[in-house]
Amino acid sequence: MLVSRPRGAAAPPLPLALLLLAAWAAASGQLHYSVPEEAKHGTFVGRVAQDLGLELAELVPRLFRVASRSRGDLLEVNLQNGILFVNSRIDREELCGRSAECGIHLEVMVDRPLQVFHVEVEVRDVNDNPPVFSVTEQKLSIPESRVIDSRFPLEGASDADVGDNAMLTYKLSPNEFFILDIINKKDKGKFPALVLRKLLDREENHQFRLLLTATDGGKPELTGSVSLWILVLDVNDNAPVFDRSVYEVKMYENPPNQTLVIWLNASDADEGINKEMTYSFSPLIPSSIRSKFLMNERTGEIRVNDGIDFEVSDTYEIHVDVTDKGNPSMVGHCTVLVEILDENDNSPEVFVTSLSLPVREDAQVGTVIALISVSDRDSGANGQVTCTLTPHVPFKLVSTFKNYYSLVLDSALDRESVSAYELVVTARDGGSPPLWASASVSVEVADVNDNAPAFAQPEYTVFVKENNPPGCHIFTLSARDADAQENARVSYSLVERRVGERAVSSYVSVHAESGKVYALQPLDREELELLQFQVSARDAGFPPLGSNVTLQVFVLDENDNAPRLLLPPGAGGAGGALSELVPRSVGAGHVVAKVRAVDADAGYNAWLSYELQAAAGGARGAFRVALYTGEVSTTRALDEADAPRQRLLVLVKDHGEPALAATATVLLSLVESGQALKASSRASAGAAGAEAALLDVNVYLIVAICAVSSLLVLTLLLYTALRCSAPPAGGACGPAKPTLVCPSAAGSWSSSQQRRQRVCSGEGPPKADLMAFSPSLPPCPVPDVEEQTIGGEHSGKEALRAEPRTSHVGGRHPTA
């Protein structure tokens, strides 16, 4: 590895040099090597990997690479040993021209994590270009009258090298008339001139052939030569003379055409026509300079003819001849050095190299997004560039090297808030007024699965009529995921659990993609009133995220159960028959029998009514049946004309649509009072125990009803509050709202089988099925109350009264 050091300084010992280099590189963030131009392919430049502290085994896995904005193929790195070597021929003159400093800037990058290093490789000049004259022969015309020490400027040679390799010395072939003098022009180089050391005599020597040799300061030295053809002129013995041999002019670039550069002034000591002069550019001036300037032959004014650009050339050397009109004419010479001053006429240039796009939204702060380099062709303050980033975004620019910046992440990203950023990098120079340029950088934010699917509600309530067709669509769930693409693709699944003895998946299913919920089989409200389960929503991200929602499916009743008669033990016959003994002495309004029935349905579908049908052999108009209690009573006093056996048909109907019915047969035997008393005494003993047991049952039943009613009121209040905040969604099977019934209009609920219904949610004990009637309803008419007592005993006939505000639904509570 070659490290630049001051010329003449002694090289430190190798271990110390390596330590100094490592410390310098760590402090500056840059490595510096040097290599001579024209080095052969494979020439060792430096151990880049070792100097940067990288392990050789990491180079390939971490995608070690070298980038250069210009001529990136000149140098290459061997990934096996980490050595930087020459890949192709390096011509310093082609790469940097006449610039005193020449280097190749490399950007060394590795990934995982991303790191960027800057390597500066200095290209050292070698003496590979000899001095060159623009012509092979220079012709000079010198009058014989010129005095000793007269000077005649010559065109110097040029050397494409720099430094010592371009330091030229001149040598003139030996002769007795001329010697060589060197003119130094303020860091503009050395220019040769002939000095006359002996008077010329045209009659003796009318011409001379001399050889001018230029030698550079390289090792080994290279030379170039030009032939000097000197013609000795006669007659005119005073040449025009400028007041100065060298004129220095400073002017800003980009002047308008015809701008005056300088007004030259020459004088001639002769008289007459020998004093008249004309100005002209020297034949030594190249055509490129002739095209830039115009010379007024009469006045000596030099004006601008074409655009002057500092970035093309910062100096112009104009050789001017002034010739008198004598015979032979004589010529005077001068040199005009024009120094061009820089103006801020070049805008900065911005180059963006994207590295890590798109950027994951979980990228760490400090992640390098892009590399930005800027340049300005101007010089001084006009070429000093600063970079800014707009708008205010979670990114910032970090200066890594002169005119090199890194676009890095400055704060956390959230794709759900902003999915892409349009950044503008603005570069401004230090000129007055400043010039600027900008480049756009589009930064797309890549999604990360950081959002779980979310339902609009934590719980949904669905009403479904029983006896639905299998596969019926009852509800559609929808969860939204704020992520994108696969991270937002939601799938639904049923959270499996037990509902009684069966799995919830035997009742319902959920479509994985659409979220539609289907009932797999007909639901029976008499078996299942509430089905509560959970549905899980999961996205397709990695790892997947999910959430659950609770679905409450209430099964609504349909009139699918006909009334069922409750007959005492031993009752038989077709359709069932109830047998009773009736004394002939009873009067009107005496209850002789009571038909009891239950309906497994609920609400109106379980509200029963009783009608007396005409029966063969019955006493015409002697009996009637209460519409809602089923009590059979006499309408008049019985007499001997009535048949001893009466057969009545009672039709029991519910209030469903359509109504379902059952028929009960009541067999009445008319007996004398004595026989009735005996039968009554025999039955009273058994009835007493039955009534005592019935009383105890009723007490427990009342307590249970009160407790369940209190729980129901609390549940309804909570449910009403939830319904007000989030109205329940209905299912596709057409659920309907329950109908509120005025109890007084219905009279009394018919007695029904005492049975507890299960509320299947998979959690907790079964719940009683109750219906609450609002106390805010208008009062309903109350039927008349009628009591009758026969033989000092209560006949069992009870007055009809208004239904209570809270009643058991579906005839679950038997009426005494």
Side-chain angles (χ1 to χ4, degrees), residues 556-586:
L556 302 181
D557 184 58
E558 285 191 339
N559 193 25
D560 58 345
N561 291 279
R564 184 171 61 86
L565 298 174
L566 298 178
L567 299 175
L578 177 63
S579 299
E580 295 289 346
L581 296 178
V582 180
R584 285 183 179 272
S585 61
V586 298

PDB file of all heavy atoms in Angstrom, residues 556-586:
ATOM      1  N   LEU A 556     -85.355 -17.773  17.094  1.00  0.00           N
ATOM      2  CA  LEU A 556     -86.712 -17.269  17.251  1.00  0.00           C
ATOM      3  C   LEU A 556     -87.721 -18.393  17.025  1.00  0.00           C
ATOM      4  O   LEU A 556     -87.529 -19.263  16.165  1.00  0.00           O
ATOM      5  CB  LEU A 556     -86.975 -16.121  16.281  1.00  0.00           C
ATOM      6  CG  LEU A 556     -86.017 -14.930  16.412  1.00  0.00           C
ATOM      7  CD1 LEU A 556     -86.395 -13.849  15.409  1.00  0.00           C
ATOM      8  CD2 LEU A 556     -86.045 -14.373  17.820  1.00  0.00           C
ATOM      9  N   ASP A 557     -88.788 -18.325  17.784  1.00  0.00           N
ATOM     10  CA  ASP A 557     -89.783 -19.407  17.779  1.00  0.00           C
ATOM     11  C   ASP A 557     -90.676 -19.336  16.551  1.00  0.00           C
ATOM     12  O   ASP A 557     -91.023 -18.235  16.069  1.00  0.00           O
ATOM     13  CB  ASP A 557     -90.624 -19.337  19.045  1.00  0.00           C
ATOM     14  CG  ASP A 557     -91.590 -20.498  19.129  1.00  0.00           C
ATOM     15  OD1 ASP A 557     -91.122 -21.644  19.114  1.00  0.00           O
ATOM     16  OD2 ASP A 557     -92.812 -20.252  19.182  1.00  0.00           O
ATOM     17  N   GLU A 558     -91.067 -20.516  16.032  1.00  0.00           N
ATOM     18  CA  GLU A 558     -92.101 -20.676  15.031  1.00  0.00           C
ATOM     19  C   GLU A 558     -93.137 -21.663  15.565  1.00  0.00           C
ATOM     20  O   GLU A 558     -92.835 -22.518  16.407  1.00  0.00           O
ATOM     21  CB  GLU A 558     -91.523 -21.184  13.710  1.00  0.00           C
ATOM     22  CG  GLU A 558     -90.774 -20.127  12.943  1.00  0.00           C
ATOM     23  CD  GLU A 558     -90.450 -20.577  11.527  1.00  0.00           C
ATOM     24  OE1 GLU A 558     -90.453 -21.801  11.303  1.00  0.00           O
ATOM     25  OE2 GLU A 558     -90.214 -19.713  10.677  1.00  0.00           O
ATOM     26  N   ASN A 559     -94.330 -21.548  15.051  1.00  0.00           N
ATOM     27  CA  ASN A 559     -95.416 -22.403  15.554  1.00  0.00           C
ATOM     28  C   ASN A 559     -95.310 -23.787  14.923  1.00  0.00           C
ATOM     29  O   ASN A 559     -96.005 -24.113  13.953  1.00  0.00           O
ATOM     30  CB  ASN A 559     -96.770 -21.764  15.242  1.00  0.00           C
ATOM     31  CG  ASN A 559     -97.893 -22.425  16.012  1.00  0.00           C
ATOM     32  OD1 ASN A 559     -97.680 -23.002  17.073  1.00  0.00           O
ATOM     33  ND2 ASN A 559     -99.111 -22.363  15.481  1.00  0.00           N
ATOM     34  N   ASP A 560     -94.438 -24.616  15.503  1.00  0.00           N
ATOM     35  CA  ASP A 560     -94.214 -25.951  14.960  1.00  0.00           C
ATOM     36  C   ASP A 560     -94.596 -27.041  15.957  1.00  0.00           C
ATOM     37  O   ASP A 560     -94.291 -28.208  15.736  1.00  0.00           O
ATOM     38  CB  ASP A 560     -92.752 -26.108  14.549  1.00  0.00           C
ATOM     39  CG  ASP A 560     -91.810 -25.864  15.698  1.00  0.00           C
ATOM     40  OD1 ASP A 560     -92.244 -25.309  16.716  1.00  0.00           O
ATOM     41  OD2 ASP A 560     -90.616 -26.220  15.560  1.00  0.00           O
ATOM     42  N   ASN A 561     -95.256 -26.665  17.067  1.00  0.00           N
ATOM     43  CA  ASN A 561     -95.708 -27.656  18.044  1.00  0.00           C
ATOM     44  C   ASN A 561     -97.179 -27.426  18.336  1.00  0.00           C
ATOM     45  O   ASN A 561     -97.590 -26.317  18.716  1.00  0.00           O
ATOM     46  CB  ASN A 561     -94.900 -27.536  19.346  1.00  0.00           C
ATOM     47  CG  ASN A 561     -93.470 -27.977  19.180  1.00  0.00           C
ATOM     48  OD1 ASN A 561     -93.165 -29.158  19.199  1.00  0.00           O
ATOM     49  ND2 ASN A 561     -92.577 -26.993  18.987  1.00  0.00           N
ATOM     50  N   ALA A 562     -97.988 -28.473  18.154  1.00  0.00           N
ATOM     51  CA  ALA A 562     -99.412 -28.399  18.480  1.00  0.00           C
ATOM     52  C   ALA A 562     -99.607 -28.532  19.983  1.00  0.00           C
ATOM     53  O   ALA A 562     -98.743 -29.079  20.685  1.00  0.00           O
ATOM     54  CB  ALA A 562    -100.169 -29.517  17.751  1.00  0.00           C
ATOM     55  N   PRO A 563    -100.709 -28.011  20.516  1.00  0.00           N
ATOM     56  CA  PRO A 563    -100.992 -28.182  21.946  1.00  0.00           C
ATOM     57  C   PRO A 563    -101.034 -29.664  22.311  1.00  0.00           C
ATOM     58  O   PRO A 563    -101.467 -30.508  21.536  1.00  0.00           O
ATOM     59  CB  PRO A 563    -102.336 -27.498  22.132  1.00  0.00           C
ATOM     60  CG  PRO A 563    -102.438 -26.540  20.987  1.00  0.00           C
ATOM     61  CD  PRO A 563    -101.748 -27.195  19.850  1.00  0.00           C
ATOM     62  N   ARG A 564    -100.554 -29.957  23.551  1.00  0.00           N
ATOM     63  CA  ARG A 564    -100.575 -31.332  24.050  1.00  0.00           C
ATOM     64  C   ARG A 564    -101.384 -31.374  25.335  1.00  0.00           C
ATOM     65  O   ARG A 564    -101.176 -30.576  26.244  1.00  0.00           O
ATOM     66  CB  ARG A 564     -99.143 -31.810  24.304  1.00  0.00           C
ATOM     67  CG  ARG A 564     -99.065 -33.271  24.733  1.00  0.00           C
ATOM     68  CD  ARG A 564     -97.607 -33.737  24.742  1.00  0.00           C
ATOM     69  NE  ARG A 564     -96.786 -32.981  25.659  1.00  0.00           N
ATOM     70  CZ  ARG A 564     -96.669 -33.290  26.968  1.00  0.00           C
ATOM     71  NH1 ARG A 564     -97.326 -34.303  27.464  1.00  0.00           N
ATOM     72  NH2 ARG A 564     -95.881 -32.562  27.735  1.00  0.00           N
ATOM     73  N   LEU A 565    -102.345 -32.326  25.358  1.00  0.00           N
ATOM     74  CA  LEU A 565    -103.272 -32.435  26.500  1.00  0.00           C
ATOM     75  C   LEU A 565    -102.573 -33.104  27.662  1.00  0.00           C
ATOM     76  O   LEU A 565    -101.771 -34.032  27.497  1.00  0.00           O
ATOM     77  CB  LEU A 565    -104.508 -33.244  26.105  1.00  0.00           C
ATOM     78  CG  LEU A 565    -105.348 -32.638  24.969  1.00  0.00           C
ATOM     79  CD1 LEU A 565    -106.450 -33.609  24.577  1.00  0.00           C
ATOM     80  CD2 LEU A 565    -105.942 -31.314  25.395  1.00  0.00           C
ATOM     81  N   LEU A 566    -102.877 -32.611  28.876  1.00  0.00           N
ATOM     82  CA  LEU A 566    -102.399 -33.224  30.109  1.00  0.00           C
ATOM     83  C   LEU A 566    -103.566 -33.965  30.750  1.00  0.00           C
ATOM     84  O   LEU A 566    -104.540 -33.341  31.232  1.00  0.00           O
ATOM     85  CB  LEU A 566    -101.851 -32.165  31.066  1.00  0.00           C
ATOM     86  CG  LEU A 566    -100.641 -31.372  30.557  1.00  0.00           C
ATOM     87  CD1 LEU A 566    -100.250 -30.323  31.586  1.00  0.00           C
ATOM     88  CD2 LEU A 566     -99.486 -32.313  30.285  1.00  0.00           C
ATOM     89  N   LEU A 567    -103.561 -35.273  30.691  1.00  0.00           N
ATOM     90  CA  LEU A 567    -104.653 -36.103  31.195  1.00  0.00           C
ATOM     91  C   LEU A 567    -104.242 -36.760  32.482  1.00  0.00           C
ATOM     92  O   LEU A 567    -103.056 -37.102  32.670  1.00  0.00           O
ATOM     93  CB  LEU A 567    -105.034 -37.150  30.148  1.00  0.00           C
ATOM     94  CG  LEU A 567    -105.523 -36.598  28.796  1.00  0.00           C
ATOM     95  CD1 LEU A 567    -105.760 -37.733  27.820  1.00  0.00           C
ATOM     96  CD2 LEU A 567    -106.764 -35.758  28.963  1.00  0.00           C
ATOM     97  N   PRO A 568    -105.181 -36.934  33.375  1.00  0.00           N
ATOM     98  CA  PRO A 568    -104.850 -37.638  34.618  1.00  0.00           C
ATOM     99  C   PRO A 568    -104.518 -39.084  34.344  1.00  0.00           C
ATOM    100  O   PRO A 568    -104.877 -39.623  33.295  1.00  0.00           O
ATOM    101  CB  PRO A 568    -106.128 -37.489  35.454  1.00  0.00           C
ATOM    102  CG  PRO A 568    -107.212 -37.288  34.444  1.00  0.00           C
ATOM    103  CD  PRO A 568    -106.600 -36.540  33.302  1.00  0.00           C
ATOM    104  N   PRO A 569    -103.814 -39.740  35.253  1.00  0.00           N
ATOM    105  CA  PRO A 569    -103.486 -41.159  35.039  1.00  0.00           C
ATOM    106  C   PRO A 569    -104.744 -41.995  34.887  1.00  0.00           C
ATOM    107  O   PRO A 569    -105.752 -41.787  35.563  1.00  0.00           O
ATOM    108  CB  PRO A 569    -102.715 -41.538  36.305  1.00  0.00           C
ATOM    109  CG  PRO A 569    -102.217 -40.257  36.861  1.00  0.00           C
ATOM    110  CD  PRO A 569    -103.235 -39.216  36.510  1.00  0.00           C
ATOM    111  N   GLY A 570    -104.694 -42.898  33.946  1.00  0.00           N
ATOM    112  CA  GLY A 570    -105.827 -43.777  33.694  1.00  0.00           C
ATOM    113  C   GLY A 570    -106.763 -43.285  32.628  1.00  0.00           C
ATOM    114  O   GLY A 570    -107.639 -44.012  32.171  1.00  0.00           O
ATOM    115  N   ALA A 571    -106.585 -42.000  32.226  1.00  0.00           N
ATOM    116  CA  ALA A 571    -107.467 -41.500  31.165  1.00  0.00           C
ATOM    117  C   ALA A 571    -107.074 -42.157  29.860  1.00  0.00           C
ATOM    118  O   ALA A 571    -105.911 -42.275  29.523  1.00  0.00           O
ATOM    119  CB  ALA A 571    -107.350 -39.995  31.083  1.00  0.00           C
ATOM    120  N   GLY A 572    -107.977 -42.547  29.096  1.00  0.00           N
ATOM    121  CA  GLY A 572    -107.671 -43.222  27.835  1.00  0.00           C
ATOM    122  C   GLY A 572    -108.724 -42.901  26.817  1.00  0.00           C
ATOM    123  O   GLY A 572    -109.475 -41.951  26.939  1.00  0.00           O
ATOM    124  N   GLY A 573    -108.765 -43.746  25.840  1.00  0.00           N
ATOM    125  CA  GLY A 573    -109.695 -43.531  24.745  1.00  0.00           C
ATOM    126  C   GLY A 573    -109.070 -42.812  23.614  1.00  0.00           C
ATOM    127  O   GLY A 573    -107.960 -42.321  23.686  1.00  0.00           O
ATOM    128  N   ALA A 574    -109.812 -42.798  22.528  1.00  0.00           N
ATOM    129  CA  ALA A 574    -109.289 -42.142  21.336  1.00  0.00           C
ATOM    130  C   ALA A 574    -109.141 -40.669  21.582  1.00  0.00           C
ATOM    131  O   ALA A 574    -110.082 -39.983  21.987  1.00  0.00           O
ATOM    132  CB  ALA A 574    -110.230 -42.408  20.153  1.00  0.00           C
ATOM    133  N   GLY A 575    -107.928 -40.194  21.350  1.00  0.00           N
ATOM    134  CA  GLY A 575    -107.661 -38.768  21.575  1.00  0.00           C
ATOM    135  C   GLY A 575    -107.581 -38.410  23.025  1.00  0.00           C
ATOM    136  O   GLY A 575    -107.373 -37.261  23.362  1.00  0.00           O
ATOM    137  N   GLY A 576    -107.717 -39.348  23.968  1.00  0.00           N
ATOM    138  CA  GLY A 576    -107.652 -39.052  25.397  1.00  0.00           C
ATOM    139  C   GLY A 576    -108.995 -38.524  25.909  1.00  0.00           C
ATOM    140  O   GLY A 576    -109.651 -37.753  25.214  1.00  0.00           O
ATOM    141  N   ALA A 577    -109.447 -38.960  27.121  1.00  0.00           N
ATOM    142  CA  ALA A 577    -110.739 -38.551  27.674  1.00  0.00           C
ATOM    143  C   ALA A 577    -110.588 -38.281  29.146  1.00  0.00           C
ATOM    144  O   ALA A 577    -109.804 -38.928  29.837  1.00  0.00           O
ATOM    145  CB  ALA A 577    -111.792 -39.625  27.428  1.00  0.00           C
ATOM    146  N   LEU A 578    -111.333 -37.273  29.605  1.00  0.00           N
ATOM    147  CA  LEU A 578    -111.343 -36.877  31.002  1.00  0.00           C
ATOM    148  C   LEU A 578    -112.719 -37.225  31.575  1.00  0.00           C
ATOM    149  O   LEU A 578    -113.751 -36.772  31.049  1.00  0.00           O
ATOM    150  CB  LEU A 578    -111.070 -35.380  31.130  1.00  0.00           C
ATOM    151  CG  LEU A 578    -111.110 -34.782  32.527  1.00  0.00           C
ATOM    152  CD1 LEU A 578    -110.012 -35.388  33.397  1.00  0.00           C
ATOM    153  CD2 LEU A 578    -110.943 -33.272  32.443  1.00  0.00           C
ATOM    154  N   SER A 579    -112.772 -38.033  32.617  1.00  0.00           N
ATOM    155  CA  SER A 579    -114.042 -38.495  33.219  1.00  0.00           C
ATOM    156  C   SER A 579    -114.232 -37.806  34.554  1.00  0.00           C
ATOM    157  O   SER A 579    -113.306 -37.751  35.375  1.00  0.00           O
ATOM    158  CB  SER A 579    -114.025 -40.013  33.412  1.00  0.00           C
ATOM    159  OG  SER A 579    -113.885 -40.655  32.157  1.00  0.00           O
ATOM    160  N   GLU A 580    -115.456 -37.269  34.787  1.00  0.00           N
ATOM    161  CA  GLU A 580    -115.804 -36.603  36.032  1.00  0.00           C
ATOM    162  C   GLU A 580    -117.223 -36.979  36.430  1.00  0.00           C
ATOM    163  O   GLU A 580    -118.084 -37.252  35.566  1.00  0.00           O
ATOM    164  CB  GLU A 580    -115.705 -35.079  35.877  1.00  0.00           C
ATOM    165  CG  GLU A 580    -114.298 -34.560  35.612  1.00  0.00           C
ATOM    166  CD  GLU A 580    -113.420 -34.672  36.826  1.00  0.00           C
ATOM    167  OE1 GLU A 580    -113.950 -34.904  37.927  1.00  0.00           O
ATOM    168  OE2 GLU A 580    -112.169 -34.516  36.656  1.00  0.00           O
ATOM    169  N   LEU A 581    -117.521 -37.024  37.756  1.00  0.00           N
ATOM    170  CA  LEU A 581    -118.870 -37.237  38.299  1.00  0.00           C
ATOM    171  C   LEU A 581    -119.458 -35.894  38.642  1.00  0.00           C
ATOM    172  O   LEU A 581    -118.820 -35.081  39.337  1.00  0.00           O
ATOM    173  CB  LEU A 581    -118.812 -38.135  39.536  1.00  0.00           C
ATOM    174  CG  LEU A 581    -118.306 -39.573  39.318  1.00  0.00           C
ATOM    175  CD1 LEU A 581    -118.260 -40.313  40.646  1.00  0.00           C
ATOM    176  CD2 LEU A 581    -119.175 -40.307  38.326  1.00  0.00           C
ATOM    177  N   VAL A 582    -120.681 -35.648  38.206  1.00  0.00           N
ATOM    178  CA  VAL A 582    -121.321 -34.352  38.417  1.00  0.00           C
ATOM    179  C   VAL A 582    -122.661 -34.578  39.133  1.00  0.00           C
ATOM    180  O   VAL A 582    -123.524 -35.334  38.615  1.00  0.00           O
ATOM    181  CB  VAL A 582    -121.555 -33.616  37.095  1.00  0.00           C
ATOM    182  CG1 VAL A 582    -122.225 -32.269  37.348  1.00  0.00           C
ATOM    183  CG2 VAL A 582    -120.239 -33.430  36.342  1.00  0.00           C
ATOM    184  N   PRO A 583    -122.871 -34.007  40.337  1.00  0.00           N
ATOM    185  CA  PRO A 583    -124.180 -34.139  41.004  1.00  0.00           C
ATOM    186  C   PRO A 583    -125.234 -33.400  40.200  1.00  0.00           C
ATOM    187  O   PRO A 583    -124.964 -32.323  39.649  1.00  0.00           O
ATOM    188  CB  PRO A 583    -123.952 -33.479  42.365  1.00  0.00           C
ATOM    189  CG  PRO A 583    -122.475 -33.417  42.529  1.00  0.00           C
ATOM    190  CD  PRO A 583    -121.892 -33.313  41.172  1.00  0.00           C
ATOM    191  N   ARG A 584    -126.375 -33.979  40.172  1.00  0.00           N
ATOM    192  CA  ARG A 584    -127.460 -33.342  39.431  1.00  0.00           C
ATOM    193  C   ARG A 584    -127.978 -32.090  40.131  1.00  0.00           C
ATOM    194  O   ARG A 584    -128.666 -31.269  39.527  1.00  0.00           O
ATOM    195  CB  ARG A 584    -128.619 -34.334  39.258  1.00  0.00           C
ATOM    196  CG  ARG A 584    -128.343 -35.418  38.211  1.00  0.00           C
ATOM    197  CD  ARG A 584    -129.577 -36.304  38.053  1.00  0.00           C
ATOM    198  NE  ARG A 584    -129.354 -37.336  37.036  1.00  0.00           N
ATOM    199  CZ  ARG A 584    -129.602 -37.156  35.741  1.00  0.00           C
ATOM    200  NH1 ARG A 584    -130.082 -36.011  35.330  1.00  0.00           N
ATOM    201  NH2 ARG A 584    -129.372 -38.129  34.873  1.00  0.00           N
ATOM    202  N   SER A 585    -127.608 -31.946  41.380  1.00  0.00           N
ATOM    203  CA  SER A 585    -128.141 -30.822  42.151  1.00  0.00           C
ATOM    204  C   SER A 585    -127.348 -29.532  41.977  1.00  0.00           C
ATOM    205  O   SER A 585    -127.660 -28.512  42.574  1.00  0.00           O
ATOM    206  CB  SER A 585    -128.158 -31.195  43.628  1.00  0.00           C
ATOM    207  OG  SER A 585    -126.833 -31.476  44.073  1.00  0.00           O
ATOM    208  N   VAL A 586    -126.240 -29.579  41.208  1.00  0.00           N
ATOM    209  CA  VAL A 586    -125.420 -28.361  41.059  1.00  0.00           C
ATOM    210  C   VAL A 586    -126.202 -27.312  40.307  1.00  0.00           C
ATOM    211  O   VAL A 586    -127.043 -27.618  39.458  1.00  0.00           O
ATOM    212  CB  VAL A 586    -124.094 -28.669  40.356  1.00  0.00           C
ATOM    213  CG1 VAL A 586    -123.270 -29.628  41.171  1.00  0.00           C
ATOM    214  CG2 VAL A 586    -124.349 -29.194  38.968  1.00  0.00           C
TER     215      VAL A 586
END
